[in-house]
Amino acid sequence: MSLRNHTNADVKAAPRSLTLNNAVKRTLDVTGAFFGLIFLLPVMILIAILIKTNDPKGSVFFKQKRIGQHGNVFGIYKFRSMVSNAEERLKQDPALYAKYIANNYKLDQDEDPRITNIGRFLRKTSLDELPQLVNVLKGEMSLVGPRPVVKDELIEYGNRVSEFLSVKPGVTGYWQVCGRSDVGYPERVDLELHYVYHQSVFFDIKILFKTVWTVLLKRGAY
């Protein structure tokens, strides 16, 4: 085979391989999210009861706008771990809000005025993320992928934003199993893009198994 023909074959094979990978990935996403919701339903009902008991006037779920694949905006679902007027309460303290931005959009739970008592437990155990299985079923997220960010965080990705947004965001991902909140920007950018450049079904399965271990050890969760 000539060099030219070999090159053309490679070019044709790459899209086919990516299409097959996406098809298998979507099948795993739907299957995993569907059975995950069924299996975890009793746990989710218990969490809902605890949230309402802790704050009867507040909602059980929290929905926030995040940036998804190709820049599409979607509402990410979580169990509510914060007070009802969380953003307003945080911005009432300019110094604390500035610290929140400087600390990669995070605050230590002990100094964060937004987090409820049950919310601290949900965050430590990552149980607040369970409703995102619905996002996966809707096709807005994948089980594995870069973590979806708020609009303000896109600036951290500089001229690599389009690469970061080229894949669906995930409930878990390479950043989460490499330290999660213990790893901030700019290191987080490199971890998220490492996944984008090396994505495969095998890599996804490896990350899912590592996620179980990371959650059990409560690494980087706050």
Side-chain angles (χ1 to χ4, degrees):
M1 180 183 290
S2 69
L3 179 60
R4 180 175 180 179
N5 289 337
H6 181 72
T7 303
N8 288 340
D10 286 345
V11 170
K12 292 178 181 178
R16 287 184 193 141
S17 176
L18 184 59
T19 299
L20 178 60
N21 180 80
N22 289 340
V24 174
K25 183 180 177 75
R26 182 57 184 159
T27 300
L28 290 175
D29 283 345
V30 172
T31 303
F34 178 76
F35 285 104
L37 285 170
I38 292 177
F39 178 74
L40 294 167
L41 184 59
V43 176
M44 296 176 73
I45 291 174
L46 177 59
I47 291 173
I49 293 172
L50 291 174
I51 291 174
K52 292 301 289 185
T53 301
N54 185 68
D55 183 7
K57 295 183 179 180
S59 62
V60 170
F61 300 103
F62 170 71
K63 185 178 180 181
Q64 184 185 44
K65 289 183 179 180
R66 296 290 180 100
I67 310 300
Q69 187 177 27
H70 306 313
N72 294 322
V73 179
F74 71 98
I76 192 173
Y77 300 115
K78 290 187 176 187
F79 280 119
R80 184 170 61 86
S81 61
M82 296 185 179
V83 296
S84 300
N85 60 336
E87 298 303 317
E88 292 80 3
R89 182 172 295 191
L90 179 61
K91 291 180 179 179
Q92 286 174 358
D93 187 334
L96 192 62
Y97 184 68
K99 183 177 181 180
Y100 163 76
I101 298 296
N103 194 39
N104 299 300
Y105 307 89
K106 294 282 185 180
L107 287 172
D108 188 275
Q109 290 194 45
D110 294 332
E111 66 177 343
D112 196 328
R114 303 170 297 168
I115 304 177
T116 63
N117 292 330
I118 183 64
R120 288 183 173 85
F121 169 74
L122 294 177
R123 285 175 165 231
K124 276 290 184 183
T125 56
S126 299
L127 290 173
D128 61 319
E129 311 281 1
L130 292 182
Q132 287 159 42
L133 293 174
V134 175
N135 289 117
V136 175
L137 285 179
K138 292 173 66 177
E140 297 164 334
M141 294 179 65
S142 177
L143 290 177
V144 180
R147 190 62 187 159
V149 299
V150 297
K151 185 177 179 180
D152 291 345
E153 287 181 85
L154 288 179
I155 192 173
E156 304 289 349
Y157 291 84
N159 60 4
R160 296 192 285 179
V161 169
S162 60
E163 296 170 58
F164 171 65
L165 297 177
S166 66
V167 300
K168 284 184 183 179
V171 177
T172 187
Y174 191 57
W175 168 63
Q176 284 93 324
V177 300
C178 289
R180 196 176 173 182
S181 295
D182 290 335
V183 180
Y185 294 115
E187 292 82 3
R188 175 176 168 177
V189 173
D190 294 329
L191 290 174
E192 298 286 38
L193 289 174
H194 176 84
Y195 173 80
V196 173
Y197 301 146
H198 299 89
Q199 58 180 303
S200 69
V201 172
F202 176 77
F203 195 19
D204 282 5
I205 294 173
K206 183 178 179 181
I207 289 173
L208 285 172
F209 277 108
K210 283 190 173 183
T211 296
V212 175
W213 184 248
T214 300
V215 169
L216 289 175
L217 294 179
K218 301 178 184 178
R219 288 176 175 170
Y222 61 86

